[in-house]
Amino acid sequence: MAIKPLNLGVSDLQENLNLALNSSSAIGCHVVNIGAEDLKEGRQHLVLGLLWQVIKIGLFADIELSRNEALMALLRDGESLEDLMKLSPEELLLRWANFHLEEAGCSKINNFSSDIKDSKAYYNILNQVAPKGDEEGIPPIAIDVSGLREKDDVQRAEMMLQQADRLGCRQFVMPTDVVRGNPKLNLAFVANLFNKYPALKKPENVDIDWSSIEGETREERTFRNWMNSLGVNPRVNHLYVDIDDALVIFQLYEKIKVPVDWDKVNKPPYSKLGSNMKKLENCNYAVELGKKEAKFSLVGIAGQDLHSGNRKLTLALLWQLMRRYTLNILEDLGDGRKVTDDTIVCWVNDALTQAGKPTISSFKDASISSSMPVLDLIDSIQPGSIRYDLLKTEDLTEDEKLNNAKYAISMARKMGARVYALPEDLVEVNPKMVMTVFACLMARGMKRA
């Protein structure tokens, strides 16, 4: 178990806070300006900001085409699949709400703040999505809309929420939150309602290539979470669609100390006529910066590949950005001395040897599949931190390997390492992600030295 229970000492509390922050970062929360001390001291705006990010990521996880193909029902005339995929979860939720309001013959809304204050839109949405008894095994739930006649806004909101409660969807808002139009809490209320009662049917007889709606790979999710944790704007919801104008790439270049001439960058809003050309110009400049300034290996990569979302070539650029970002942290700690993969392997092996632990040959070493080299390194940096009695070290099944890996990732984050890799990356010995794990641990070790 990586989380320490109550009655904590100072060091245990620090470790728990580190684990919370670094785990939040790993799922894409922007925590650059938040430290363990901020949480410990209860700095309200920072704590609430982080909590909102965590809640939002959880609520929005399934508001995505690859996880819910019925969202295709929200396509409008003349729109393509790509148009729908470009919508953020917030925009999809608004479109979903308006889809049901339109079905009910009611006026549309433009937001989840001022337009929902009277609760009338909510009443109509609840009435539309509540089970009607036409699906086997799901009993009908009749929504009482008599509260629409209530004159008092707060009382009307309370009566509406009582109906939402019948669907098990009262969470996140109080009547006053509705009446005041609190945008975050109302967005959470609607997202929860969508997750439980989407009331959408996947359209039939529509000429759509369903195979093009692929779920995110583990690698894609890791890169997207890394970018979002650095606070890029706009937030990346769909990896290839949201970076097709290279604006996020330029921000990442600045994070790795590659200067960007923003006078050369086309910025939104783009005019409908010529928008693709403006975005392509940005992507061409992004590739040029990568080759000339960052000195990346971008053989065969052109701006068109970024703009069109070529998976293999886009991921090649993103990996080099993430790798450089990681190495820059080590170089800053080492007074600017150049760091390579060999530098990291040598540092890791020195630390392991000094602690009397087995070493590794490279980031492809088969022993990494058990996570023992990672756990041994953590114990070398912070002696006594690893509970070896919880681990199985020989003849491991795949499940046992995964359990070890989960423990290793949690313990790395607990000691303050901002690890983005996932347990599966260790089990499968993904050399790219393995490198980032050891690099992050090296950074922690250098700080402690």
Side-chain angles (χ1 to χ4, degrees), residues 30 46 127 139 229 366 375 419 427:
H30 180 209
L46 294 176
N127 198 33
S229 75
L375 290 160
V419 174
V427 173

Side-chain angles (χ1 to χ4, degrees), residues 251-425:
Q251 293 169 58
L252 295 175
Y253 276 133
E254 291 197 322
K255 300 286 185 187
I256 62 166
K257 304 172 189 174
V258 170
V260 176
D261 182 353
W262 287 97
D263 290 335
K264 289 186 178 180
V265 177
N266 300 311
K267 302 173 186 70
Y270 307 105
S271 60
K272 283 194 175 181
L273 193 63
S275 67
N276 282 337
M277 184 57 67
K278 294 291 185 187
K279 292 179 179 181
L280 183 56
E281 287 172 358
N282 283 357
C283 292
N284 287 334
Y285 179 43
V287 172
E288 179 189 327
L289 280 176
K291 289 177 177 177
K292 293 182 178 178
E293 300 295 332
K295 305 293 191 245
F296 287 161
S297 173
L298 299 177
V299 178
I301 299 181
Q304 179 60 34
D305 298 311
L306 292 184
H307 179 57
S308 63
N310 181 301
R311 288 192 170 205
K312 182 180 178 181
L313 299 179
T314 301
L315 290 175
L317 172 59
L318 292 177
W319 161 241
Q320 291 182 75
L321 283 161
M322 186 179 192
R323 183 176 186 278
R324 180 69 57 82
Y325 178 82
T326 305
L327 295 180
N328 279 359
I329 292 172
L330 293 176
E331 288 170 7
D332 288 346
L333 290 169
D335 299 322
R337 287 192 298 273
K338 186 172 176 59
V339 176
T340 65
D341 286 10
D342 287 342
T343 312
I344 300 169
V345 171
C346 285
W347 187 93
V348 168
N349 283 337
D350 283 347
L352 289 172
T353 300
Q354 287 177 32
K357 315 271 189 186
T359 58
I360 60 170
S361 57
S362 70
F363 298 134
K364 297 179 180 178
D365 195 305
S367 67
I368 294 168
S369 179
S370 70
S371 296
M372 289 312 299
V374 177
L375 290 160
D376 284 342
L377 181 60
I378 293 169
D379 202 64
S380 303
I381 297 169
Q382 190 172 314
S385 59
I386 297 301
R387 290 275 308 276
Y388 284 96
D389 58 310
L390 296 177
L391 303 170
K392 184 166 182 190
T393 57
E394 295 178 359
D395 301 322
L396 279 72
T397 65
E398 288 303 304
D399 283 347
E400 287 165 340
K401 286 181 180 180
L402 190 59
N403 287 337
N404 280 5
K406 288 176 180 176
Y407 182 52
I409 296 291
S410 289
M411 291 305 295
R413 290 173 180 162
K414 196 171 183 179
M415 71 182 295
R418 191 149 288 176
V419 174
Y420 293 91
L422 298 170
E424 292 84 354
D425 294 318

